Amino acid sequence: IYEIDLDDLDMTKETIEKIVKDQGDISYLINNAGININKDIEALSEEDFIRSFNVNVVSPHIIMKKLLPSMKENNFGRIINVTSGAPMNNMSGYAAYSASKAALNSMTITAFREYKDYNIKINLMSPGPVKTEMAPNANKDPSVCLPTARYLLELDEDGPTGKFFWLGYEV
């Protein structure tokens, strides 16, 4: 088990390098960490906004950047970037979260296009309203996400890439 504070970009770089050194090539990645700082724009500090981007998009970029070269060399990789419907809903109080997840979505689609000639599948998955520390009042158990995650990790060479999935459905 490796622990990373994804807001600490240097720690993220050092830890992912250590993981690769210890474990070798990594073919499967689920960027699942996320942070939601629920504040209206006037109350949202620059530090909170930057922290949201560090955790939700910059650290996933750092991790993908480190792992994609070996995936490309091995002509195999599966990446799931966990996102949200928030960038489509843009609810009040969620500016940092919605903006950072929109950036993650854009980065994911760009990455899919850059690696489409390889057997690397890069997709987005939204867990929907699952009960987590971030959403303690949600009504679904996180286990409802397992079939979709398993499906995306087990894609064959002709499987979808650059797509958005929610509870088993391509959106």
Side-chain angles (χ1 to χ4, degrees):
I1 296 174
Y2 301 85
E3 188 173 323
I4 305 174
D5 175 356
L6 296 175
D7 186 34
D8 182 336
L9 301 181
D10 290 331
M11 176 190 242
T12 300
K13 289 174 191 171
E14 291 166 10
T15 305
I16 194 65
E17 287 175 6
K18 179 171 180 19
I19 292 169
V20 169
K21 182 180 178 195
D22 293 350
Q23 305 298 323
D25 290 346
I26 296 171
S27 300
Y28 299 91
L29 170 64
I30 300 175
N31 278 315
N32 185 45
I35 187 171
N36 177 19
I37 299 170
N38 188 357
K39 294 181 181 176
D40 290 338
I41 289 175
E42 289 183 29
L44 186 65
S45 70
E46 289 81 13
E47 292 80 14
D48 284 342
F49 197 77
I50 290 167
R51 183 170 179 227
S52 295
F53 269 79
N54 284 347
V55 172
N56 294 343
V57 71
V58 179
S59 282
H61 167 262
I62 290 168
I63 296 166
M64 287 174 58
K65 182 178 177 180
K66 180 66 178 173
L67 300 183
L68 277 164
S70 67
M71 289 180 181
K72 183 177 172 183
E73 184 178 315
N74 296 327
N75 195 41
F76 184 85
R78 301 293 180 263
I79 298 173
I80 301 170
N81 286 330
V82 177
T83 189
S84 169
M88 293 173 257
N89 300 328
N90 298 297
M91 293 180 59
S92 179
Y94 291 87
Y97 184 71
S98 296
S100 64
K101 288 298 186 173
L104 178 69
N105 294 356
S106 292
M107 180 182 71
T108 301
I109 301 306
T110 300
F112 130 72
R113 289 190 173 125
E114 291 176 359
Y115 292 88
K116 68 181 181 194
D117 294 333
Y118 299 90
N119 184 18
I120 302 171
K121 306 299 177 189
I122 306 171
N123 287 293
L124 293 156
M125 183 182 100
S126 175
V130 296
K131 189 176 186 100
T132 63
E133 288 181 28
M134 191 185 306
N137 298 320
N139 59 0
K140 295 188 185 305
D141 186 82
S143 64
V144 300
C145 301
L146 291 176
T148 304
R150 187 172 293 119
Y151 166 74
L152 293 172
L153 292 173
E154 295 174 352
L155 288 171
D156 63 26
E157 194 164 348
D158 296 326
T161 186
K163 304 295 181 181
F164 186 113
F165 290 85
W166 180 70
L167 295 176
Y169 296 96
E170 183 180 325
V171 179

